Amino acid sequence: MDNNFNIGVFDSGVGGTTVLKEILNALPNENILYYGDSGNSPYGEKSLEVLQNLCLKIMDFFMKNRCKAVVIACNTATAASLDIIHQKYNIPVIGVINPGAISAINTSSTKNIGVLSTPFTAKSNAYANAIRKIDKNIRVYQEGCSELCPMIENDWESYKNGDEILKKHIAVFPKCVDTIILGCTHYPIIRKDVSRIFNKNIVDPAKETTLELQKTLKELNLLNSSKEKGKLEFFVSGDIEKFKKVAEKFLEINISNIYKVEK
């Protein structure tokens, strides 16, 4: 494996840019391919079989394009496909759930953690299982939010009822919850809105996921040896202009290398 090969990062759409932003800051010399599968979004209400097929298709794309490691920058995709991907491919593949679970455990003092996620992630108990493997005494409350991903993909600020919907979902958690995991990579894009409603601890798994990626690449001697800034390319299966508008605003960069792929 060549250490100058690419890192693949994928999500159901623009949400994974929250993870991408952390990777760009931590590993500026790496070449990165970002795959936003917005043509098949939202992932959160699809079946396990459909999700796995979508994820395997994206993995095949990364393998054809010389990727040395992959980050599944999507909680739903991580819950649905991380295990099967580990079985089928022999490169490092990192999901966002375990890093997020560890961060929440280290943050919560009441041992009561809430998870805002897609319906699929909530039903899969992915976070509850990951947390209880580490600490069985922690109570985990999961809330599946079907509306948030589509609203964020389509310009959150254009919706007048955003706060009302957030309040409805956050109100489900009991008062003893002192930590909420943003259990969908789209949600850090609206972190300020969440923090206005929930003024305790908010965990974004992106930072911990990036640290795990950095550690894995170092251990395998796969860190890019170049001293120059890495190349960043985007591949989008949905509306390129809509994706670009949200991604540029969040990443605070101009995106030029962006390509349409079949959904």
Side-chain angles (χ1 to χ4, degrees):
M1 183 76 68
D2 191 323
N3 64 358
N4 294 318
F5 279 7
N6 304 305
I7 295 171
V9 180
F10 80 90
D11 176 55
S12 64
V14 75
T17 57
T18 59
V19 179
L20 175 64
K21 192 171 189 176
E22 295 292 337
I23 295 172
L24 291 172
N25 288 334
L27 299 166
N29 306 117
E30 296 292 343
N31 300 309
I32 299 173
L33 308 182
Y34 182 94
Y35 194 115
D37 195 17
S38 51
N40 290 300
S41 182
Y43 274 12
E45 297 176 62
K46 287 182 166 52
S47 70
L48 176 64
E49 183 181 5
V50 169
L51 286 168
Q52 289 182 342
N53 286 335
L54 289 171
C55 293
L56 293 175
K57 178 185 175 184
I58 295 169
M59 283 298 302
D60 287 342
F61 173 87
F62 285 146
M63 297 304 291
K64 289 175 185 175
N65 286 277
R66 300 195 310 170
C67 284
K68 62 184 179 182
V70 170
V71 176
I72 308 177
C74 174
N75 289 268
T76 301
T78 299
S81 68
L82 183 61
D83 289 343
I84 194 170
I85 285 173
H86 278 158
Q87 292 169 21
K88 285 181 170 284
Y89 302 90
N90 62 354
I91 63 170
V93 180
I94 295 165
V96 289
I97 289 175
N98 279 340
I102 292 167
S103 181
I105 290 167
N106 293 335
T107 301
S108 177
S109 57
T110 67
K111 293 197 173 187
N112 289 275
I113 295 171
V115 183
L116 285 178
S117 69
T118 66
F120 182 93
T121 301
K123 288 175 186 175
S124 74
N125 288 316
Y127 271 102
N129 292 338
I131 288 169
R132 286 169 186 153
K133 278 183 182 177
I134 301 168
D135 189 338
K136 293 180 181 178
N137 296 316
I138 291 180
R139 291 191 180 94
V140 182
Y141 305 88
Q142 299 169 107
E143 173 66 1
C145 315
S146 60
E147 315 97 323
L148 299 184
C149 273
M151 291 171 72
I152 294 167
E153 286 280 333
N154 291 290
D155 189 7
W156 170 263
E157 293 175 358
S158 68
Y159 293 89
K160 294 181 180 179
N161 62 337
D163 278 0
E164 181 184 333
I165 289 172
L166 276 175
K167 284 177 184 176
K168 179 189 75 174
H169 287 299
I170 292 171
V172 169
F173 299 132
K175 290 182 179 179
C176 58
V177 167
D178 73 338
T179 301
I180 283 180
I181 300 173
L182 300 179
C184 170
T185 53
H186 283 70
Y187 298 173
I189 293 174
I190 58 168
R191 180 173 182 147
K192 288 182 180 178
D193 300 273
V194 176
S195 64
R196 282 204 311 270
I197 299 163
F198 185 80
N199 60 1
K200 299 176 186 177
N201 305 312
I202 297 173
V203 168
D204 173 5
K207 290 183 179 180
E208 295 299 324
T209 302
T210 300
L211 288 173
E212 185 171 333
L213 171 65
Q214 195 170 20
K215 179 184 175 185
T216 300
L217 293 176
K218 188 175 181 180
E219 288 175 349
L220 297 174
N221 293 315
L222 286 176
L223 286 169
N224 197 307
S225 57
S226 173
K227 301 298 182 185
E228 296 182 6
K229 187 176 181 180
K231 187 175 182 181
L232 175 60
E233 297 177 278
F234 292 85
F235 300 85
V236 179
S237 64
D239 187 318
I240 283 183
E241 290 306 314
K242 190 182 290 184
F243 176 94
K244 188 176 176 183
K245 180 183 177 183
V246 179
E248 285 188 333
K249 183 177 180 181
F250 181 75
L251 292 172
E252 299 177 307
I253 61 172
N254 292 319
I255 295 173
S256 55
N257 297 325
I258 185 165
Y259 311 97
K260 178 80 172 183
V261 290
E262 291 183 8
K263 71 175 188 175

